[in-house]
Amino acid sequence: MEYLRIRGGRELQGSVTLPGAKNSLLPILAAGILCNEPVTLKNVPDLSDLHASLQILRAVGWQAEFVQGTIQLLPAEKMKSIIPEKAAGAMRSSVFYLAPLLHRTGKVELPSPGGCRLGQRPIDIHLEGLVKMGATAAMQGEVLTLCAPNGLQGTEFRLRYPSVGATETLMMAAALAQGKSRLENVAKEPEVMDLARFLNRCGAQIRGAGTECIEIEGVPALKGATHTLIPDRIVAATLFAAVAAAKGEVHIKNVCPVHLAGVLELYKRMGMQLYQPVPGELIAGMQNRPKALGQLKTGPYPAFCTDAAPLTAAALLTATGETVIEDTVFENRFECASEFANLGARAMKQGRSIHIWGKKSYSGGSARASDLRAGAALVCAALGAKGESRIGGLEYIRRGYCDLEKTMQYLGADIVKISD
Ligand code: EPZ
């Protein structure tokens, strides 16, 4: 069994350069399939979700190599339309391959990606938009089959919810559709904008990414491109939470503060010193107990993002008072509440919310990750504990962080990975 052994009580000091964003990487890898020429991606983090994506790319016929932070993709001679069950089941992001494979092969079969601990995570908005563009959808057992033998047609479509993934699926679908598309009530996350930048670099005609409405003029084909991923804003939020829990001062490089809308002001309200020594860098410092924040709600960008919610909960376990965070995005974001309690903190899941009663200190203990951000939150909580903790479920953490324990070790934490 593999776990992280963390001995709390050590302040964090040092500087960290943010890796490329996982939530840019995953849709852009799928979008690469739309291209007729080679694609090069830079600033790529080594994550387990990356390797699951490379499996899908190779299974449908592409050559995909990952060497020292760079990915080279070479187009398939003849593309296949079946997404392998193992890779599809390994991550939700296999959904991103629906639109590209529909365009390139006229058909796609996806073993249903299913829900995860965060909630059901249906894909109805993706499918509603693709059907409006002319695809047919059917479930055969556990396998979703989409067909578009005559290609996809541009359309006007209003998303019922600004889903990040559905916005990205429909942007990819519209990029090569016949005619114009207008997508309304779309997601505005920085990763959506990064995907649009990549597609436009390949010759797509996409306007308005990052606003409420995206307009796309379909083009007959896309060439290749070289693209550098934006920094991972959730890794930045993870570092803020670690500093708030363990105290100290961390210098974060390759950061886009504008991408941290809705997060930075919360950490300032907690009492964190946050300033930009030079553009693209942030220094985060915390010496005292965080101030509690009362009632908080997550929401679509630029609101306080759902992925930072469990991390912020970890930061507030020693706060001087109570905080309640409601996640309006996922119905089951706070499985980690009972795990925080296993570390000796006072936290409770109440429906879609977590209620935290800040304590001056808590002991540490054994806890287990149930999803990616919960895992990172437990690491931050263990860094802030007085004693020793053991954190399991590292397979979840590896999905979104390359060597989180090495980063924290480098910053002075007493953290080691143990396999026994
Ligand atoms: C993306 O997931 C991110 N993943 C998530 O990050 C992030 O938490 C989420 O956006 C919200 O910001 C990637 O980008 C790879 P959604 P996604 O579609 O696209 C419902 C992480 O930890 N919904 O915006 O799946 C859905 O159930 C991960 O890095 C429908 O009902 O999120 C959820 O309640 C976790 N029907 C809400 O919308 C649909 O067709 C938001 O989902 C699609 C979504």
Side-chain angles (χ1 to χ4, degrees):
M1 201 265 273
E2 207 184 23
Y3 60 89
L4 294 176
R5 190 202 66 204
I6 299 169
R7 290 176 179 141
R10 303 268 290 261
E11 288 202 0
L12 303 180
Q13 295 290 342
S15 76
V16 176
T17 299
L18 288 184
K22 166 182 86 81
N23 292 346
S24 268
L25 170 66
L26 299 179
I28 288 175
L29 279 173
I33 284 181
L34 293 168
C35 300
N36 289 336
E37 294 170 4
V39 168
T40 300
L41 299 180
K42 295 187 170 181
N43 196 24
V44 176
D46 188 358
L47 309 171
S48 57
D49 273 6
L50 161 67
H51 294 286
S53 302
L54 296 182
Q55 270 183 21
I56 294 175
L57 285 162
R58 292 173 184 134
V60 299
W62 277 63
Q63 288 180 52
E65 293 310 321
F66 173 58
V67 178
Q68 286 175 342
T70 296
I71 287 182
Q72 299 281 0
L73 302 178
L74 295 176
E77 300 290 319
K78 180 159 176 18
M79 224 173 291
K80 302 187 186 80
S81 60
I82 298 178
I83 297 172
E85 182 157 359
K86 186 165 175 291
M91 60 173 192
R92 291 259 322 143
S93 301
S94 48
V95 176
F96 288 133
Y97 292 83
L98 291 174
L101 286 172
L102 258 185
H103 268 308
R104 304 306 307 264
T105 67
K107 177 178 180 184
V108 56
E109 293 180 21
L110 173 69
S112 75
C116 70
R117 294 293 184 84
L118 294 175
Q120 273 314 305
R121 299 186 78 178
I123 59 170
D124 58 298
I125 305 172
H126 301 245
L127 298 180
E128 194 185 339
L130 290 173
V131 167
K132 191 134 192 272
M133 290 183 176
T136 59
M139 282 301 286
Q140 282 145 357
E142 282 298 295
V143 175
L144 168 69
T145 302
L146 293 182
C147 292
N150 307 317
L152 296 174
Q153 281 72 45
T155 187
E156 298 216 346
F157 181 72
R158 181 174 180 75
L159 284 75
R160 69 173 175 77
Y161 176 89
S163 152
V164 173
T167 301
E168 292 164 340
T169 283
L170 298 175
M171 234 174 21
M172 289 190 266
L176 285 180
Q178 295 140 34
K180 277 188 183 160
S181 294
R182 181 182 167 82
L183 305 175
E184 295 189 340
N185 192 35
V186 293
K188 298 184 280 211
E189 273 70 2
E191 294 77 20
V192 170
M193 296 169 72
D194 204 22
L195 173 62
R197 259 193 300 273
F198 167 73
L199 288 168
N200 283 341
R201 206 166 267 161
C202 297
Q205 302 289 317
I206 299 171
R207 282 189 313 284
T211 72
E212 304 278 339
C213 172
I214 297 176
E215 294 190 322
I216 301 127
E217 177 79 50
V219 294
L222 292 179
K223 56 188 190 322
T226 294
H227 182 81
T228 300
L229 299 174
I230 57 171
D232 195 316
R233 60 194 170 107
I234 311 301
V235 171
T238 307
L239 292 165
F240 296 154
V243 170
K247 309 298 175 284
E249 182 173 273
V250 171
H251 189 155
I252 304 172
K253 298 180 176 172
N254 185 34
V255 61
C256 286
V258 71
H259 290 169
L260 286 152
V263 174
L264 283 176
E265 54 104 8
L266 290 185
Y267 283 81
K268 283 178 187 160
R269 275 175 51 200
M270 264 185 227
M272 183 169 278
Q273 298 86 35
L274 279 159
Y275 63 98
Q276 280 196 71
V278 292
E281 299 188 9
L282 265 179
I283 294 183
M286 192 86 166
Q287 299 313 327
N288 309 314
R289 281 178 73 180
K291 298 184 186 76
L293 298 180
Q295 301 283 339
L296 296 178
K297 263 188 185 187
T298 67
Y301 190 87
F304 171 36
C305 58
T306 173
D307 291 345
L311 301 165
T312 305
L316 289 162
L317 297 175
T318 58
T320 53
E322 294 182 42
T323 303
V324 177
I325 307 175
E326 179 190 355
D327 188 3
T328 66
V329 180
F330 289 112
E331 60 268 33
N332 202 21
R333 170 58 83 179
F334 295 117
E335 288 270 294
C336 51
S338 54
E339 299 302 317
F340 288 143
N342 290 342
L343 298 181
R346 273 198 75 196
M348 186 187 288
K349 182 171 177 283
Q350 294 166 338
R352 302 182 76 113
S353 301
I354 186 169
H355 194 145
I356 300 148
W357 294 266
K359 289 173 73 172
K360 192 164 170 38
S361 67
Y362 51 90
S363 55
S366 290
R368 184 173 180 74
S370 52
D371 67 73
L372 163 55
R373 304 305 171 186
L378 289 171
V379 169
C380 294
L383 292 172
K386 278 185 86 60
E388 180 172 298
S389 300
R390 296 185 170 196
I391 307 297
L394 306 195
E395 66 279 12
Y396 289 106
I397 299 175
R398 266 196 290 274
R399 294 190 52 191
Y401 296 86
C402 31
D403 290 332
L404 183 61
E405 70 274 9
K406 286 209 176 77
T407 302
M408 296 304 175
Q409 255 167 25
Y410 168 75
L411 292 174
D414 180 344
I415 175 172
V416 286
K417 190 189 299 179
I418 292 179
S419 307
D420 62 15

